[in-house]
Coordinates of all heavy atoms in Angstrom, one line a residue:
M1 N -73.9 -35.1 73.1 CA -72.7 -35.1 72.5 C -72.2 -33.9 71.8 O -73.1 -33.5 71.0 CB -72.5 -36.5 71.5 CG -71.2 -36.6 71.0 SD -71.3 -38.1 70.1 CE -69.6 -38.7 70.4
I2 N -71.1 -33.4 72.0 CA -70.6 -32.2 71.2 C -69.9 -32.7 70.0 O -69.0 -33.6 70.1 CB -69.7 -31.4 72.1 CG1 -70.6 -30.8 73.4 CG2 -69.1 -30.3 71.4 CD1 -69.7 -30.1 74.4
S3 N -70.2 -32.1 68.9 CA -69.6 -32.4 67.6 C -68.4 -31.3 67.4 O -68.8 -30.1 67.3 CB -70.5 -32.4 66.5 OG -69.9 -32.5 65.2
L4 N -67.2 -31.8 67.3 CA -66.2 -30.8 67.1 C -66.1 -30.5 65.6 O -66.4 -31.4 64.7 CB -64.8 -31.6 67.5 CG -64.7 -31.8 68.9 CD1 -63.4 -32.4 69.2 CD2 -64.8 -30.5 69.7
P5 N -65.7 -29.3 65.1 CA -65.6 -29.1 63.7 C -64.4 -29.8 63.1 O -63.5 -30.2 63.7 CB -65.2 -27.6 63.8 CG -64.6 -27.2 65.2 CD -65.2 -28.3 66.0
P6 N -64.7 -30.1 61.7 CA -63.5 -30.7 61.0 C -62.4 -29.9 60.9 O -62.4 -28.8 61.0 CB -64.2 -31.1 59.8 CG -65.3 -30.0 59.6 CD -65.8 -29.6 61.0
E7 N -61.2 -30.6 60.7 CA -60.0 -29.8 60.4 C -60.1 -29.1 59.1 O -60.8 -29.3 58.2 CB -58.9 -30.9 60.2 CG -58.5 -31.5 61.4 CD -57.9 -30.6 62.5 OE1 -57.1 -29.7 62.1 OE2 -58.2 -30.7 63.7
P8 N -59.4 -27.9 59.0 CA -59.5 -27.0 57.8 C -58.9 -27.9 56.5 O -58.0 -28.7 56.8 CB -58.6 -25.9 58.1 CG -58.5 -25.9 59.5 CD -58.7 -27.2 60.1
D9 N -59.4 -27.6 55.4 CA -58.8 -28.2 54.3 C -57.5 -27.9 54.0 O -57.0 -26.6 53.9 CB -59.6 -27.7 52.9 CG -59.2 -28.3 51.7 OD1 -58.2 -28.9 51.6 OD2 -59.9 -28.1 50.7
P10 N -56.6 -28.8 54.0 CA -55.1 -28.6 54.0 C -54.6 -28.1 52.6 O -53.5 -27.5 52.6 CB -54.5 -30.0 54.3 CG -55.5 -30.9 53.9 CD -56.8 -30.2 54.1
T11 N -55.4 -28.1 51.6 CA -55.0 -27.6 50.4 C -55.4 -26.1 50.2 O -55.1 -25.4 49.2 CB -55.6 -28.3 49.2 OG1 -57.1 -28.1 49.2 CG2 -55.3 -29.7 49.2
A12 N -56.1 -25.4 51.2 CA -56.5 -24.1 51.1 C -55.4 -23.1 50.9 O -55.6 -22.2 50.2 CB -57.3 -23.8 52.5
P13 N -54.3 -23.3 51.6 CA -53.2 -22.3 51.3 C -52.7 -22.2 49.8 O -52.3 -21.2 49.4 CB -52.0 -22.8 52.1 CG -52.6 -23.5 53.2 CD -53.9 -24.3 52.5
Q14 N -53.1 -23.2 49.1 CA -52.8 -23.2 47.5 C -53.6 -22.2 46.9 O -53.2 -21.5 45.9 CB -53.0 -24.4 46.9 CG -52.0 -25.7 47.4 CD -52.4 -27.0 46.9 OE1 -53.5 -27.3 46.2 NE2 -51.6 -28.0 47.3
S15 N -54.8 -22.0 47.4 CA -55.6 -20.8 46.8 C -54.9 -19.4 47.1 O -55.1 -18.6 46.2 CB -57.1 -20.8 47.4 OG -57.0 -20.6 48.6
L16 N -54.2 -19.3 48.2 CA -53.4 -18.0 48.5 C -52.4 -18.0 47.5 O -52.2 -16.8 46.8 CB -53.0 -18.0 49.9 CG -52.2 -16.8 50.2 CD1 -53.0 -15.5 50.1 CD2 -51.7 -17.0 51.6
A17 N -51.6 -18.9 47.1 CA -50.6 -18.9 46.3 C -51.1 -18.6 44.8 O -50.5 -17.8 44.1 CB -49.8 -20.3 46.2
R18 N -52.2 -19.2 44.5 CA -52.8 -18.9 43.1 C -53.3 -17.4 43.0 O -53.0 -16.7 42.0 CB -54.0 -19.9 42.8 CG -53.6 -21.2 42.5 CD -54.8 -22.0 42.0 NE -55.8 -22.2 42.9 CZ -55.8 -23.2 43.9 NH1 -54.9 -24.1 43.8 NH2 -56.7 -23.2 44.7
L19 N -53.8 -16.9 44.1 CA -54.2 -15.5 44.0 C -53.1 -14.6 44.0 O -53.0 -13.6 43.1 CB -55.0 -15.2 45.3 CG -55.6 -13.7 45.5 CD1 -56.5 -13.5 44.2 CD2 -56.4 -13.7 46.7
R20 N -52.0 -14.9 44.7 CA -50.7 -14.2 44.6 C -50.2 -14.2 43.1 O -49.8 -13.1 42.6 CB -49.8 -14.6 45.7 CG -48.4 -13.9 45.8 CD -47.5 -14.3 46.8 NE -47.1 -15.7 46.7 CZ -46.3 -16.2 45.8 NH1 -45.6 -15.4 45.0 NH2 -45.9 -17.5 45.8
A21 N -50.2 -15.4 42.6 CA -49.4 -15.7 41.3 C -50.4 -14.9 40.3 O -49.8 -14.3 39.3 CB -49.4 -17.1 41.1
S22 N -51.6 -14.9 40.4 CA -52.6 -14.2 39.4 C -52.4 -12.7 39.4 O -52.6 -12.1 38.3 CB -54.0 -14.6 39.8 OG -54.4 -13.8 40.8
R23 N -51.8 -12.1 40.5 CA -51.5 -10.7 40.7 C -50.1 -10.5 40.0 O -49.7 -9.3 39.9 CB -51.7 -10.3 41.9 CG -53.0 -10.5 42.5 CD -54.2 -9.4 42.0 NE -55.4 -9.8 42.5 CZ -56.0 -9.2 43.4 NH1 -55.5 -8.2 44.1 NH2 -57.3 -9.5 43.8
G24 N -49.2 -11.6 40.0 CA -47.8 -11.4 39.6 C -47.1 -10.8 40.7 O -45.9 -10.3 40.4
W25 N -47.5 -11.1 41.9 CA -46.8 -10.6 43.1 C -45.8 -11.6 43.5 O -46.0 -12.8 43.8 CB -47.7 -10.2 44.2 CG -48.8 -9.1 43.9 CD1 -48.7 -8.3 42.8 CD2 -49.8 -8.7 44.7 NE1 -49.7 -7.5 42.9 CE2 -50.4 -7.6 44.0 CE3 -50.3 -9.1 45.9 CZ2 -51.4 -6.9 44.5 CZ3 -51.5 -8.5 46.3 CH2 -52.0 -7.5 45.7
S26 N -44.6 -11.1 44.0 CA -43.7 -12.0 44.6 C -44.0 -12.1 46.1 O -44.9 -11.2 46.5 CB -42.3 -11.5 44.5 OG -42.1 -10.1 45.2
Y27 N -43.3 -12.9 46.9 CA -43.6 -12.8 48.3 C -43.2 -11.7 48.9 O -43.9 -11.0 49.8 CB -42.6 -13.9 49.0 CG -43.2 -15.4 48.9 CD1 -42.2 -16.4 48.1 CD2 -44.3 -15.8 49.4 CE1 -42.8 -17.6 48.1 CE2 -44.8 -17.0 49.2 CZ -43.9 -18.0 48.5 OH -44.4 -19.2 48.5
D28 N -42.2 -10.9 48.3 CA -41.7 -9.5 48.8 C -42.8 -8.5 48.7 O -43.2 -7.7 49.4 CB -40.4 -9.2 48.3 CG -39.3 -10.1 48.8 OD1 -39.2 -10.4 50.0 OD2 -38.4 -10.2 48.0
A29 N -43.4 -8.5 47.4 CA -44.5 -7.7 47.1 C -45.6 -7.7 48.0 O -46.2 -6.8 48.5 CB -44.9 -7.8 45.6
L30 N -46.2 -9.0 48.2 CA -47.3 -9.3 49.0 C -46.9 -8.9 50.6 O -47.7 -8.2 51.2 CB -47.8 -10.8 49.0 CG -48.9 -11.2 49.9 CD1 -50.2 -10.2 49.7 CD2 -49.3 -12.5 49.6
A31 N -45.6 -9.1 51.0 CA -45.4 -8.7 52.3 C -45.3 -7.2 52.5 O -45.9 -6.7 53.5 CB -43.9 -9.2 52.6
A32 N -44.9 -6.4 51.5 CA -45.0 -5.1 51.5 C -46.5 -4.5 51.5 O -46.7 -3.7 52.2 CB -44.3 -4.5 50.4
R33 N -47.3 -5.1 50.8 CA -48.6 -4.7 50.7 C -49.5 -5.1 51.9 O -50.4 -4.5 52.4 CB -49.4 -5.3 49.5 CG -48.8 -4.8 48.2 CD -49.5 -5.7 47.0 NE -48.8 -5.2 45.7 CZ -49.2 -4.2 44.9 NH1 -50.4 -3.7 45.2 NH2 -48.6 -4.0 43.7
S34 N -49.1 -6.2 52.6 CA -49.9 -6.6 53.7 C -49.3 -6.3 55.0 O -50.0 -6.4 56.2 CB -50.0 -8.2 53.6 OG -48.8 -8.9 53.8
G35 N -48.0 -6.1 55.1 CA -47.3 -5.7 56.3 C -47.0 -7.0 57.1 O -46.5 -7.1 58.3
L36 N -47.1 -8.1 56.5 CA -46.7 -9.5 57.1 C -45.3 -9.8 56.5 O -44.8 -9.3 55.6 CB -47.6 -10.6 56.5 CG -49.1 -10.4 56.9 CD1 -50.0 -11.4 56.1 CD2 -49.3 -10.4 58.4
S37 N -44.6 -10.6 57.3 CA -43.3 -11.0 56.8 C -43.3 -12.0 55.7 O -44.4 -12.8 55.5 CB -42.6 -11.8 58.0 OG -43.1 -13.0 58.3
R38 N -42.2 -12.0 55.0 CA -42.1 -12.9 53.8 C -42.2 -14.4 54.5 O -42.8 -15.3 53.9 CB -40.7 -12.7 53.2 CG -40.5 -13.5 52.0 CD -39.1 -13.0 51.3 NE -39.0 -13.5 50.0 CZ -38.4 -14.8 49.9 NH1 -38.0 -15.6 50.8 NH2 -38.3 -15.1 48.6
R39 N -41.6 -14.6 55.5 CA -41.5 -16.0 56.2 C -42.9 -16.4 56.4 O -43.4 -17.6 56.2 CB -40.7 -15.9 57.4 CG -40.7 -17.1 58.3 CD -40.6 -18.4 57.6 NE -39.2 -18.9 57.2 CZ -38.8 -19.7 56.2 NH1 -39.7 -20.1 55.4 NH2 -37.6 -19.9 56.0
T40 N -43.8 -15.6 57.1 CA -45.1 -15.9 57.3 C -45.9 -16.4 56.1 O -46.7 -17.4 56.0 CB -45.9 -14.7 58.1 OG1 -45.3 -14.5 59.3 CG2 -47.4 -15.0 58.2
L41 N -45.8 -15.6 55.0 CA -46.5 -15.9 53.7 C -46.0 -17.2 53.2 O -46.8 -18.0 52.8 CB -46.1 -14.8 52.7 CG -46.7 -13.3 53.1 CD1 -46.2 -12.4 52.1 CD2 -48.2 -13.4 53.3
I42 N -44.7 -17.5 53.3 CA -44.2 -18.8 52.8 C -44.7 -19.9 53.6 O -45.3 -21.0 53.1 CB -42.7 -18.8 52.8 CG1 -42.1 -17.9 51.7 CG2 -42.0 -20.1 52.6 CD1 -40.7 -17.6 51.9
E43 N -44.8 -19.8 54.9 CA -45.3 -20.8 55.8 C -46.7 -21.1 55.6 O -47.2 -22.3 55.7 CB -45.0 -20.5 57.3 CG -43.5 -20.6 57.6 CD -43.2 -20.3 59.0 OE1 -44.0 -20.0 59.8 OE2 -41.9 -20.5 59.3
I44 N -47.5 -20.0 55.3 CA -49.0 -20.3 55.1 C -49.2 -21.0 53.7 O -49.9 -22.0 53.7 CB -49.7 -19.0 55.1 CG1 -49.8 -18.3 56.4 CG2 -51.1 -19.1 54.5 CD1 -50.4 -16.9 56.6
E45 N -48.5 -20.5 52.7 CA -48.7 -21.2 51.4 C -48.2 -22.6 51.3 O -48.6 -23.5 50.7 CB -47.9 -20.3 50.3 CG -48.7 -19.1 49.8 CD -48.0 -18.5 48.7 OE1 -47.3 -19.0 48.1 OE2 -48.4 -17.4 48.4
Q46 N -47.1 -23.0 52.3 CA -46.6 -24.2 52.3 C -47.3 -25.2 53.3 O -47.0 -26.3 53.5 CB -45.1 -24.3 52.5 CG -44.4 -23.7 51.4 CD -42.8 -23.6 51.5 OE1 -42.3 -23.9 52.6 NE2 -42.1 -23.3 50.5
G47 N -48.3 -24.6 54.0 CA -49.2 -25.4 54.8 C -48.5 -25.7 56.3 O -49.0 -26.5 57.0
R48 N -47.5 -24.9 56.5 CA -46.8 -25.2 57.8 C -47.5 -24.4 59.0 O -47.4 -24.7 60.2 CB -45.4 -24.7 57.7 CG -44.6 -25.6 57.0 CD -43.1 -25.4 57.2 NE -42.7 -25.0 55.8 CZ -41.6 -24.2 55.5 NH1 -40.9 -23.6 56.4 NH2 -41.4 -24.0 54.2
T49 N -48.4 -23.5 58.6 CA -49.2 -22.6 59.6 C -50.4 -22.2 59.0 O -50.5 -22.0 57.7 CB -48.4 -21.5 60.2 OG1 -49.1 -20.9 61.3 CG2 -48.1 -20.4 59.2
I50 N -51.4 -22.0 59.7 CA -52.8 -21.5 59.2 C -52.8 -20.1 59.4 O -53.6 -19.4 58.6 CB -53.9 -22.3 59.9 CG1 -55.1 -22.2 59.2 CG2 -54.1 -21.8 61.4 CD1 -55.3 -23.0 57.9
G51 N -52.0 -19.5 60.2 CA -52.2 -18.0 60.4 C -53.3 -17.6 61.3 O -54.0 -18.5 61.7
T52 N -53.4 -16.4 61.7 CA -54.3 -15.9 62.7 C -55.4 -15.2 61.8 O -55.2 -14.9 60.7 CB -53.7 -14.9 63.6 OG1 -53.3 -13.7 63.0 CG2 -52.6 -15.6 64.4
L53 N -56.5 -14.7 62.5 CA -57.4 -14.0 61.9 C -56.9 -12.6 61.4 O -57.2 -12.0 60.3 CB -58.5 -13.7 62.8 CG -59.8 -13.0 62.3 CD1 -60.4 -13.7 61.1 CD2 -61.0 -12.9 63.2
A54 N -56.0 -12.1 62.2 CA -55.3 -10.7 61.8 C -54.5 -11.0 60.6 O -54.5 -10.1 59.8 CB -54.5 -10.3 63.0
T55 N -53.9 -12.2 60.4 CA -53.1 -12.5 59.2 C -54.0 -12.4 58.1 O -53.7 -11.8 57.0 CB -52.4 -13.8 59.4 OG1 -51.4 -13.7 60.5 CG2 -51.6 -14.2 58.2
W56 N -55.0 -13.2 58.2 CA -56.0 -13.3 57.0 C -56.7 -11.9 56.7 O -56.9 -11.6 55.5 CB -57.0 -14.4 57.2 CG -56.3 -15.8 57.1 CD1 -55.7 -16.5 58.0 CD2 -55.9 -16.3 55.9 NE1 -55.3 -17.5 57.5 CE2 -55.2 -17.5 56.2 CE3 -56.2 -16.2 54.5 CZ2 -54.8 -18.6 55.3 CZ3 -55.7 -17.1 53.6 CH2 -55.0 -18.2 54.1
H57 N -56.9 -11.2 57.8 CA -57.5 -9.8 57.5 C -56.5 -8.9 56.8 O -56.9 -8.3 55.8 CB -57.8 -9.1 58.9 CG -58.4 -7.9 58.8 ND1 -57.8 -6.7 58.9 CD2 -59.7 -7.5 58.4 CE1 -58.5 -5.7 58.7 NE2 -59.6 -6.0 58.4
A58 N -55.2 -9.0 57.1 CA -54.3 -8.3 56.4 C -54.1 -8.7 55.0 O -54.0 -8.0 53.9 CB -52.8 -8.4 57.2
L59 N -54.2 -10.0 54.7 CA -54.1 -10.4 53.3 C -55.3 -10.1 52.5 O -55.3 -9.7 51.4 CB -54.0 -12.0 53.3 CG -52.7 -12.6 53.8 CD1 -52.8 -14.1 54.2 CD2 -51.5 -12.3 52.9
A60 N -56.6 -10.2 53.1 CA -57.7 -9.6 52.4 C -57.6 -8.2 52.0 O -57.9 -7.9 50.9 CB -59.0 -9.9 53.2
H61 N -57.1 -7.4 53.0 CA -56.9 -5.9 52.7 C -55.8 -5.7 51.6 O -56.2 -5.0 50.7 CB -56.5 -5.3 53.9 CG -56.2 -3.8 53.7 ND1 -57.4 -2.9 53.7 CD2 -55.1 -3.1 53.6 CE1 -56.9 -1.7 53.5 NE2 -55.5 -1.7 53.4
A62 N -54.7 -6.6 51.5 CA -53.8 -6.5 50.6 C -54.3 -6.7 49.2 O -54.0 -6.0 48.1 CB -52.6 -7.3 50.9
F63 N -55.1 -7.8 49.1 CA -55.7 -8.3 47.8 C -56.9 -7.5 47.4 O -57.5 -7.7 46.4 CB -56.1 -9.7 47.8 CG -54.9 -10.7 47.8 CD1 -54.4 -11.4 48.8 CD2 -54.1 -10.6 46.7 CE1 -53.4 -12.3 48.7 CE2 -52.9 -11.4 46.6 CZ -52.7 -12.2 47.6
S64 N -57.5 -6.7 48.4 CA -58.7 -5.9 48.2 C -60.0 -6.8 47.8 O -60.8 -6.7 46.9 CB -58.7 -4.9 47.1 OG -57.6 -3.9 47.4
V65 N -60.0 -7.9 48.7 CA -61.2 -9.0 48.6 C -61.8 -9.1 50.0 O -61.1 -8.9 51.0 CB -60.7 -10.3 48.0 CG1 -60.0 -10.1 46.6 CG2 -59.6 -11.0 48.9
P66 N -63.0 -9.5 50.0 CA -63.6 -9.7 51.3 C -62.9 -10.8 51.9 O -62.4 -11.9 51.4 CB -65.1 -10.2 50.8 CG -65.3 -9.8 49.6 CD -63.9 -9.6 48.8
L67 N -62.8 -10.8 53.3 CA -62.1 -11.8 54.1 C -62.7 -13.1 53.8 O -62.0 -14.1 53.8 CB -62.3 -11.4 55.5 CG -61.6 -12.3 56.6 CD1 -60.1 -12.4 56.5 CD2 -61.9 -11.8 58.1
G68 N -64.0 -13.4 53.9 CA -64.7 -14.5 53.5 C -64.2 -15.2 52.2 O -64.1 -16.5 52.2
E69 N -63.9 -14.4 51.2 CA -63.3 -15.0 49.9 C -62.1 -15.7 50.3 O -61.8 -16.8 49.6 CB -63.1 -13.9 48.9 CG -62.7 -14.4 47.5 CD -62.6 -13.4 46.6 OE1 -63.6 -12.4 46.6 OE2 -61.8 -13.4 45.8
L70 N -61.2 -15.3 51.1 CA -60.0 -16.0 51.4 C -60.2 -17.2 52.3 O -59.5 -18.1 52.3 CB -58.9 -15.0 52.2 CG -58.4 -13.9 51.2 CD1 -57.4 -13.1 52.0 CD2 -57.7 -14.5 50.0
L71 N -61.2 -17.0 53.2 CA -61.4 -18.1 54.3 C -62.3 -19.2 53.7 O -62.1 -20.4 54.2 CB -62.0 -17.5 55.5 CG -61.2 -16.5 56.2 CD1 -61.9 -15.9 57.5 CD2 -59.8 -17.1 56.7
D72 N -63.0 -18.9 52.7 CA -64.0 -20.0 52.2 C -63.2 -21.3 51.8 O -63.8 -22.5 52.0 CB -64.7 -19.4 51.0 CG -66.1 -18.7 51.4 OD1 -66.4 -18.6 52.6 OD2 -66.5 -18.1 50.5
P73 N -62.0 -21.3 51.1 CA -61.4 -22.4 50.8 C -61.0 -23.4 51.9 O -60.9 -24.6 51.8 CB -60.2 -22.0 50.0 CG -60.5 -20.7 49.5 CD -61.4 -20.1 50.5
L74 N -60.9 -22.9 53.1 CA -60.5 -23.7 54.4 C -61.7 -24.6 54.5 O -61.4 -25.8 55.3 CB -60.5 -22.7 55.5 CG -59.3 -21.8 55.6 CD1 -59.3 -21.0 56.8 CD2 -58.0 -22.7 55.6
C75 N -63.0 -24.4 54.1 CA -64.1 -25.3 54.4 C -64.5 -26.0 53.2 O -65.7 -26.4 53.0 CB -65.1 -24.4 55.1 SG -64.8 -23.8 56.7
T76 N -63.8 -26.0 52.1 CA -64.2 -26.6 50.9 C -64.7 -28.0 51.1 O -64.0 -28.9 51.7 CB -63.0 -26.6 49.7 OG1 -62.7 -25.3 49.6 CG2 -63.4 -27.4 48.5
G77 N -65.9 -28.3 50.8 CA -66.4 -29.7 50.8 C -67.0 -30.0 52.1 O -67.5 -31.2 52.4
L78 N -66.9 -29.1 53.1 CA -67.4 -29.4 54.5 C -68.8 -28.9 54.6 O -69.2 -27.9 54.1 CB -66.6 -28.8 55.6 CG -65.1 -29.1 55.5 CD1 -64.3 -28.3 56.6 CD2 -64.9 -30.6 55.8
E79 N -69.7 -29.7 55.2 CA -71.0 -29.4 55.4 C -71.2 -28.6 56.8 O -70.6 -28.9 57.8 CB -72.0 -30.6 55.5 CG -71.9 -31.5 54.2 CD -72.7 -30.6 53.2 OE1 -73.6 -30.0 53.5 OE2 -72.3 -30.7 52.0
P80 N -72.1 -27.6 56.8 CA -72.2 -27.0 58.1 C -73.0 -27.8 59.1 O -73.5 -28.7 58.6 CB -73.0 -25.7 57.7 CG -73.5 -26.1 56.5 CD -72.8 -27.0 55.8
P81 N -72.7 -27.5 60.3 CA -73.4 -28.6 61.4 C -75.0 -28.3 61.3 O -75.4 -27.2 60.8 CB -72.8 -28.0 62.7 CG -72.3 -26.7 62.4 CD -72.0 -26.6 61.0
L82 N -75.6 -29.4 61.6 CA -77.1 -29.2 61.6 C -77.5 -28.6 62.8 O -76.8 -28.6 63.9 CB -77.7 -30.6 61.5 CG -77.4 -31.5 60.4 CD1 -77.8 -32.9 60.6 CD2 -78.0 -30.9 59.1
P83 N -78.6 -27.8 62.7 CA -79.1 -27.1 64.0 C -79.4 -28.1 65.0 O -79.8 -29.2 64.9 CB -80.5 -26.5 63.5 CG -80.3 -26.5 62.0 CD -79.4 -27.5 61.6
G84 N -78.9 -27.7 66.3 CA -79.1 -28.5 67.4 C -78.1 -29.5 67.7 O -78.3 -30.4 68.5
T85 N -77.1 -29.6 66.8 CA -76.1 -30.6 67.0 C -74.8 -30.0 67.5 O -74.5 -28.9 67.5 CB -75.7 -31.4 65.8 OG1 -75.3 -30.5 64.8 CG2 -76.9 -32.1 65.2

């Protein structure tokens, strides 16, 4: 039996909002730093889209943080699969 991965934590985009707020950046400022559209940023923060790997890579670069730091909240409270499952 194949075990499908759980859905990402729906509150994870809030961590992006907190990080943006901690820097004092508006959506426009983050858009300029990341090359992403303001609309994309709003949709991610409001949980309407999860974004692509390229989107999260651009955000990590804009914030000067490792990509994993931004992606970790997506799996908050989830256990990794056991070997062989």
Side-chain angles (χ1 to χ4, degrees):
M1 175 180 220
I2 296 175
S3 175
L4 297 176
E7 290 294 316
D9 181 349
T11 63
Q14 294 172 359
S15 64
L16 178 60
R18 283 191 295 274
L19 184 57
R20 183 178 58 78
S22 74
R23 305 282 172 101
W25 295 352
S26 65
Y27 285 117
D28 291 327
L30 181 53
R33 292 171 188 267
S34 66
L36 301 170
S37 73
R38 185 176 191 275
R39 171 48 83 206
T40 295
L41 299 171
I42 291 168
E43 288 183 0
I44 291 172
E45 284 191 11
Q46 292 181 352
R48 286 188 242 151
T49 187
I50 195 70
T52 65
L53 183 55
T55 299
W56 288 95
H57 181 261
L59 290 168
H61 182 74
F63 286 115
S64 296
V65 298
L67 181 59
E69 187 174 317
L70 291 181
L71 297 179
D72 279 349
L74 292 172
C75 296
T76 297
L78 302 178
E79 294 294 324
L82 298 173
T85 60

